[in-house]
Amino acid sequence: MWSTTDRDEALLWYTALDGTGVEGIVAKPLSSAYKASRIWSKVRHADTVDVTVVGFTGTARHPKALAVRLPDGRVALSQRLTTALASVVGPHLVPQAGWASMKVGDTYTPAAGDVVVEVVAGTTRHSVVTVVRLH
């Protein structure tokens, strides 16, 4: 495991490791023992991209999360929407009959239309998707 107390060196590693499969870097106090805790900060590589909404959880009026089609064709469920973002996106969602499910078992209500949102799609193995705004 690499470690440094030099901020510039850490930033160099972060930049150089992008695209290699390394998720990012961890910053923590020197006195902190090796265990996950809230005082550790994870800095992960992520890309911002526009995606099409293919569904949602919750109701169209109050969506909890969005099912989006990523650029590689996969459908991913977003992180939980903030109340403010849900109130902006909700009026644009047109629910379709039935349910759809993802490979991991999550279900969502399919949506019609061309609703496009900007997301931060993590490049980690978990593919965390966070909705930033409606386009």
Side-chain angles (χ1 to χ4, degrees):
M1 176 184 329
W2 299 352
S3 65
T4 184
T5 58
D6 184 299
R7 182 180 188 276
D8 291 335
E9 185 173 18
L11 290 173
L12 178 64
W13 291 347
Y14 178 77
T15 302
L17 294 172
D18 188 17
T20 65
V22 174
E23 292 182 9
I25 60 175
V26 175
K28 67 175 196 66
L30 285 174
S31 61
S32 179
Y34 185 76
K35 63 180 179 180
S37 68
R38 294 194 180 269
I39 57 174
W40 287 32
S41 297
K42 295 178 182 178
V43 183
R44 294 184 170 130
H45 298 286
D47 299 318
T48 301
V49 63
D50 291 343
V51 296
T52 302
V53 176
V54 297
F56 57 90
T57 64
T59 65
R61 188 170 179 173
H62 300 289
K64 292 182 180 180
L66 300 179
V68 298
R69 184 164 314 282
L70 298 173
D72 65 6
R74 288 180 301 125
V75 173
L77 201 57
S78 75
Q79 297 285 77
R80 188 175 181 95
L81 300 175
T82 64
T83 302
L85 192 52
S87 69
V88 171
V89 174
H92 298 278
L93 297 174
V94 179
Q96 297 297 295
W99 295 94
S101 64
M102 299 170 40
K103 288 182 181 180
V104 294
D106 293 324
T107 61
Y108 59 90
T109 302
D114 293 325
V115 178
V116 176
V117 293
E118 181 180 350
V119 301
V120 175
T123 57
T124 70
R125 65 183 178 269
H126 305 295
S127 297
V128 175
V129 175
T130 305
V131 178
V132 176
R133 75 182 112 240
L134 174 71
H135 274 294

